[in-house]
Amino acid sequence: SFNSLNHDMTLPEFKFIWYMEYSHRMWGRVVGLAYILPAAYFWRRGWLSRPLKGCVLALCGLVCFQGLLGWYMVKSGLEEKPDSYDIPRVSQYRLAAHLGSALVLYSASLWTGLSLLLPQHKLPETKQLLRLRQYAHGTTALIFLTALSGAFVAGLDAGLVYNSFPKMGERWIPDDLLAFSPMLRNIFENPTTVQFDHRILGIASVTAVTALYLFSRKIPLPRRTRMAVTSLLAVACMQ
C-alpha cells in the first residue's frame, strides 16, 4: 500500500491510521472478554438454564467467528497482486461478511438480553397482528440487506463515483450500470451498480419502515411495542 498509493505519507499520518486499526482490534477483544468471562462465571455458578446454555454457546461461537472474519478480511488487503494496478483494499465480500456477522451478533445479543429482562406480552393472535409480525420480519431482512450493500459501497469506494442525489450525475439510470460481464458481476463488483443498488435499497427500507409504522397505528398494541415502532421510524429518518 505504501509503494502503490501512500508513498508520501508522513510518520504522524501513518500513526493515526495505525492507532485507529489497533484501537478497533483491542476494542473487539475487550468486547469478547466482556462476554465470555461473565458467561463462564454464570455457567459455573449454575445460573443458566439448559436453553440459555445453548444461546450462550452460540453467541460465544459467533464472537470468536467475528474476530476470525476480521482477521480474514484484513488479510485480503495485504495480499500482493502483481498483475493488478488497482488501489490496495480489502475484499468487499469479506467486508460484507464481517459487517453482517457483527449485525447478527449484536441483534442476537440484544434479543437474548431483552427476552430475559422484559416479560413477553401475551396478545391475542389476530389476523392483523400476524400480518404486522410478518411485515416486521420482512422489513428487518430488507434493512439487513441494505446494510450489507453499504459494506460493498465501502469496500469498492463506490461512494466516490456519484455524489448527486436523487439522480446519479445527469441521469436517473447511469450508462455504466451493466458495464461488467457476466451481468451478475455488476451487483458485487461494479462501483456504479453497487451505489445504485444501495440507493434503491435505502429508499425501499425507509418506505417499508414508514409503512410498518402506519400499519401499526391501526392495531391496538402495548405501549412498549408502539414505542419500538415509533423509535424505528425516527432512527430510519435520521439515518
Side-chain angles (χ1 to χ4, degrees):
S1 177
F2 181 80
N3 292 329
S4 305
L5 180 65
N6 299 314
H7 46 78
D8 57 345
M9 179 180 283
T10 63
L11 186 58
E13 288 173 336
F14 172 77
K15 284 182 176 181
F16 175 74
I17 61 169
W18 188 90
Y19 277 116
M20 283 184 66
E21 174 67 21
Y22 180 73
S23 301
H24 180 69
R25 292 185 182 206
M26 295 308 295
W27 186 254
R29 289 164 186 164
V30 168
V31 168
L33 291 174
Y35 174 77
I36 293 169
L37 294 180
Y41 176 75
F42 297 150
W43 190 299
R44 187 174 178 81
R45 294 298 296 266
W47 294 350
L48 303 179
S49 63
R50 189 176 179 86
L52 195 54
K53 284 182 178 179
C55 288
V56 165
L57 284 177
L59 288 171
C60 182
L62 200 51
V63 167
C64 297
F65 179 68
Q66 174 67 5
L68 186 65
L69 261 181
W71 165 81
Y72 186 60
M73 178 193 72
V74 171
K75 183 175 179 289
S76 68
L78 301 174
E79 293 170 352
E80 290 286 345
K81 302 179 181 70
D83 298 329
S84 173
Y85 298 96
D86 197 11
I87 296 170
R89 58 164 63 95
V90 298
S91 163
Q92 68 271 27
Y93 298 101
R94 300 185 194 183
L95 178 59
H98 189 51
L99 176 64
S101 176
L103 289 172
V104 170
L105 174 60
Y106 177 76
S107 301
S109 300
L110 190 63
W111 184 277
T112 304
L114 290 177
S115 299
L116 294 171
L117 292 171
L118 302 174
Q120 187 175 3
H121 286 299
K122 297 296 182 183
L123 299 174
E125 292 289 327
T126 63
K127 189 176 180 180
Q128 277 189 317
L129 187 65
L130 287 172
R131 281 182 61 197
L132 180 68
R133 188 177 293 138
Q134 290 171 349
Y135 194 73
H137 290 162
T139 303
T140 302
L142 183 59
I143 292 169
F144 182 74
L145 189 62
T146 304
L148 286 190
S149 74
F152 280 90
V153 172
L156 290 169
D157 283 337
L160 304 177
V161 181
Y162 292 97
N163 60 2
S164 56
F165 187 86
K167 289 185 177 182
M168 298 177 73
E170 298 298 320
R171 302 177 65 88
W172 289 101
I173 299 175
D175 292 331
D176 54 343
L177 191 68
L178 300 175
F180 289 16
S181 182
M183 191 180 295
L184 193 62
R185 270 187 64 208
N186 289 281
I187 299 173
F188 306 106
E189 298 180 15
N190 184 341
T192 298
T193 314
V194 166
Q195 191 194 126
F196 181 81
D197 291 344
H198 188 58
R199 289 177 179 224
I200 298 299
L201 286 168
I203 293 166
S205 292
V206 174
T207 305
V209 169
T210 305
L212 179 68
Y213 171 78
L214 294 174
F215 182 51
S216 73
R217 301 293 295 176
K218 301 176 181 178
I219 307 172
L221 294 171
R223 180 176 174 272
R224 201 170 71 207
T225 309
R226 194 163 297 288
M227 196 185 335
V229 177
T230 305
S231 300
L232 178 63
L233 178 63
V235 171
C237 292
M238 185 170 64
Q239 174 71 359

